[in-house]
Amino acid sequence: MPVSDATDLSPPPVGPGQGALTDVWHFAAMARDLRPGKLQRFEILGEPILIGRGRQGAVYAVRDICPHRSAPLSAGKLTTEANGRESVECPYHGWRFGLDGACTAIPSLVADQAMDVSKIRVRRYPVRESQGLVFIWFSSDPRFDGEPETAPPVLPGVAMGKPKRVGQMILDTPFARAALDLKDTPRVPDSRPYAILGRRPQMEVAFGAPGLRWAHVTVGKRQVLSLTCLTPITAHQTRQTEVLWSDHPAFWLLKA
Ligand code: FES
């Protein structure tokens, strides 16, 4: 029963200037996109990561590589153990892993095979849901199994309901370069939505590390919070996501 990856917790290669990308919160997903019981595969900093939501509502993230024979766990399913806890079942040989990354069952074991399966682990990543967004903590220590001391960034002025994703693209640009470009682009990337409000907007722009920029726009009594999130996918690619909050009903008609 080979365990190809159980002890291989080495981090992916880190290129020049990438060190600052670890030990920080990165935007991972919109909270509303993570449906209970659904397993989704993401790539962040070159790592395949399964991010999902348990049926009780909690969000979790584990490395999307089974420690047995490297099958993607995201191709498996969420199951409920006899003790009521949920686990991810690998689609290949059915090993199950709790949402904390510890193995909970190996179906091929027979009764007289004494083995503490909980010693087999898949890497777990801290995740937090905040203001309708899901952030993931990417520790520089691949054995880190605690919770970060800092919380994800809190965006001021989010007092108008749920966020809406209005755009997403993959940039063939390293994260550090994309973050510099973000500072140099016009203050509001696409000003057309603000024409809905019909008057000249007042804007306040702020930056959050790493790769977050938000513009708080007020036009009369209406408000818009426009957020741009950068997420490092690989050493050469960056995901850019545009998110809006607004108390103006017309914004909910905007298409991505
Ligand atoms: S690859 Fe065998 S259980 Fe996952």
Side-chain angles (χ1 to χ4, degrees):
M1 186 181 307
V3 179
S4 64
D5 204 21
T7 55
D8 178 15
L9 290 173
S10 56
V14 175
Q18 279 194 286
L21 298 183
T22 55
D23 298 321
V24 291
W25 292 101
H26 289 293
F27 167 76
M30 303 294 292
R32 67 189 338 174
D33 289 342
L34 300 178
R35 306 275 181 204
K38 185 176 171 190
L39 313 183
Q40 294 190 63
R41 181 183 177 95
F42 292 78
E43 185 175 6
I44 300 177
L45 281 171
E47 281 278 279
I49 299 174
L50 157 61
I51 304 179
R53 185 186 296 281
R55 294 193 179 90
Q56 308 296 325
V59 175
Y60 62 92
V62 294
R63 194 181 191 203
D64 195 18
I65 299 177
C66 178
H68 182 211
R69 294 281 181 86
S70 302
L73 294 172
S74 59
K77 62 183 180 184
L78 194 69
T79 63
T80 302
E81 304 280 351
N83 62 9
R85 293 195 174 168
E86 291 180 303
S87 60
V88 175
E89 183 176 304
C90 179
Y92 200 179
H93 307 99
W95 289 23
R96 299 199 296 275
F97 298 88
L99 306 188
D100 61 355
C103 185
T104 57
I106 296 178
S108 58
L109 286 179
V110 293
D112 62 352
Q113 273 182 291
M115 181 175 171
D116 182 1
V117 299
S118 68
K119 289 185 175 165
I120 302 170
R121 300 187 70 87
V122 63
R123 183 177 179 182
R124 175 190 75 92
Y125 301 87
V127 274
R128 298 259 179 93
E129 207 168 340
S130 173
Q131 299 177 301
L133 311 175
V134 175
F135 292 89
I136 186 168
W137 178 267
F138 215 98
S139 174
S140 57
D141 176 2
R143 294 181 184 275
F144 178 75
D145 193 31
E147 287 299 321
E149 292 179 358
T150 60
V154 175
L155 309 177
V158 177
M160 47 252 190
K162 294 180 178 173
K164 177 174 182 174
R165 183 180 56 219
V166 293
Q168 189 166 81
M169 66 181 110
I170 304 298
L171 309 172
D172 286 324
T173 311
F175 178 87
R177 178 71 250 171
L180 283 175
D181 291 346
L182 194 64
K183 292 198 170 188
D184 292 340
T185 50
R187 290 191 153 197
V188 176
D190 182 355
S191 61
R192 286 172 300 169
Y194 302 96
I196 292 171
L197 300 175
R199 292 163 64 184
R200 186 177 178 77
Q202 304 290 316
M203 283 179 243
E204 282 177 37
V205 178
F207 296 88
L212 293 181
R213 179 192 61 184
W214 58 90
H216 190 212
V217 183
T218 53
V219 187
K221 293 180 180 172
R222 299 293 191 181
Q223 299 180 58
V224 181
L225 184 73
S226 167
L227 173 70
T228 302
C229 311
L230 299 178
T231 308
I233 299 176
T234 65
H236 308 290
Q237 286 193 314
T238 303
R239 175 159 49 97
Q240 179 170 323
T241 308
E242 305 290 344
V243 181
L244 287 183
W245 289 256
S246 179
D247 57 359
H248 194 299
F251 273 81
W252 295 99
L253 301 176
L254 285 175
K255 293 264 190 290

